[in-house]
Amino acid sequence: MKQFDRIMALYQADFDATWADTAPVDAVRFVVLDCESTGLDPRRHRLVSIGAVAVSEAQIDLGDTFEALLRIRHNNEATLVHGITRDQSRDGLDEPEAMAALLAYLRDAVLVGHHVGYDLMMIDAALGRHFGLQLRNRHIDTAALMASLERRPAGSDQQPAPQWSLDALCERFGVLPYDRHTAPGDAFLTAQVFLRLLRLAVRQDRGTLESLMA
C-alpha cells in the first residue's frame, strides 16, 4: 500500500508545474491510449487491456509505451473479441496494480484517444474503486479534433461534417488499419492519425496546446 501511496503522490505532484497553454505542440508529451473492456457500463464492466504510446517532438516514440493486460476472474466472451484468451486474462495484473502502473507511466501527459471519453470513464471508474482518485490529465479526442479542423463556415451549403470513425480516419490519412480491436494496436493507429491531425492543426495556425484544444 505504501508503494501505491507513493505513486499517487508523485502523479499528483506532476501537475504542480505542467504544460503551459502557450506550449508548442511539438514540445508537449502526448500519450495516445486505448482501452478494451468487458462492456460499456463502468459500474458493472471491467477493463481487459490498456495500450498506450507517446507522441513527442511530433513523432511516435516507440521507446515510450505502455501495455497492461488485466486479470478477469470470470469467463467472458468479450475478452475473446479483443484477441485475449481466458487463460491470458486470468494471468493478468490485478486492477489496482494496473492502475498504479498506468499513473506512473502517464504522469502529466496530455491524453489522446479516439472517442477518448469512454477510455477516461473506464479508467476513472477503476481509479475511484481503489484510490478515490480521477485522472487530472488534459485530453484530446481525435474525432472531435478532426471535426474542428474541418469546421464548415457559417452558411455553408456543404454537407454536414461526417462522424469520423477510427477506420474512416485511417482511410482518410492512408493509415493501414493493422491490429484493430486490440488496445496496443488501436493506440498505435490512433497515434498515426493524431500525427496527421497535428500537421493539419499547425498549418491552420493552431500550433500551441491551447489552440489545439480549442
Side-chain angles (χ1 to χ4, degrees):
M1 183 58 72
K2 287 184 178 179
Q3 180 184 3
F4 288 165
D5 289 343
R6 181 174 177 273
I7 290 171
M8 302 305 120
L10 289 172
Y11 172 74
Q12 299 281 12
D14 280 329
F15 293 89
D16 292 342
T18 188
W19 311 106
D21 288 342
T22 55
V25 292
D26 60 0
V28 175
R29 178 175 179 256
F30 298 95
V31 166
V32 186
L33 60 78
D34 183 80
C35 299
E36 306 294 348
S37 68
T38 59
L40 300 178
D41 185 345
R43 296 167 299 179
R44 298 186 299 111
H45 297 126
R46 295 295 182 266
L47 291 164
V48 174
S49 62
I50 305 169
V53 60
V55 170
S56 55
E57 298 181 357
Q59 297 183 64
I60 296 173
D61 186 351
L62 294 179
D64 188 359
T65 64
F66 177 87
E67 185 174 348
L69 180 65
L70 282 77
R71 190 190 310 273
I72 304 294
R73 290 185 172 83
H74 57 281
N75 289 347
N76 191 302
E77 291 182 2
T79 60
L80 300 179
V81 171
H82 307 306
I84 300 166
T85 68
R86 294 186 176 101
D87 286 342
Q88 287 174 320
S89 67
R90 283 195 293 265
D91 293 336
L93 299 174
D94 286 327
E95 194 173 70
E97 185 181 2
M99 291 299 100
L102 178 64
L103 289 185
Y105 169 74
L106 293 179
R107 307 193 306 277
D108 66 338
V110 177
L111 306 185
V112 179
H114 195 74
H115 299 312
V116 72
Y118 156 77
D119 305 282
L120 302 181
M121 177 180 66
M122 295 301 295
I123 293 170
D124 279 345
L127 288 171
R129 278 191 290 273
H130 304 290
F131 306 119
L133 180 73
Q134 291 192 331
L135 290 171
R136 296 183 58 186
N137 306 69
R138 303 190 210 190
H139 58 272
I140 295 172
D141 186 283
T142 48
L145 179 57
M146 182 70 203
S148 74
L149 291 170
E150 288 211 330
R151 191 170 289 145
R152 272 50 172 177
S156 171
D157 59 359
Q158 297 182 36
Q159 293 296 314
Q163 299 299 306
W164 292 100
S165 67
L166 181 55
D167 288 320
L169 285 177
C170 286
E171 183 176 356
R172 164 69 184 269
F173 292 115
V175 174
L176 183 66
Y178 176 75
D179 204 19
R180 276 286 277 127
H181 303 299
T182 69
D186 283 357
F188 185 63
L189 290 175
T190 305
Q192 293 178 76
V193 166
F194 181 58
L195 284 182
R196 273 69 165 185
L197 293 174
L198 280 181
R199 292 171 194 147
L200 280 176
V202 169
R203 288 202 291 269
Q204 294 184 19
D205 284 332
R206 292 174 61 178
T208 64
L209 182 57
E210 182 179 41
S211 63
L212 184 68
M213 300 184 70

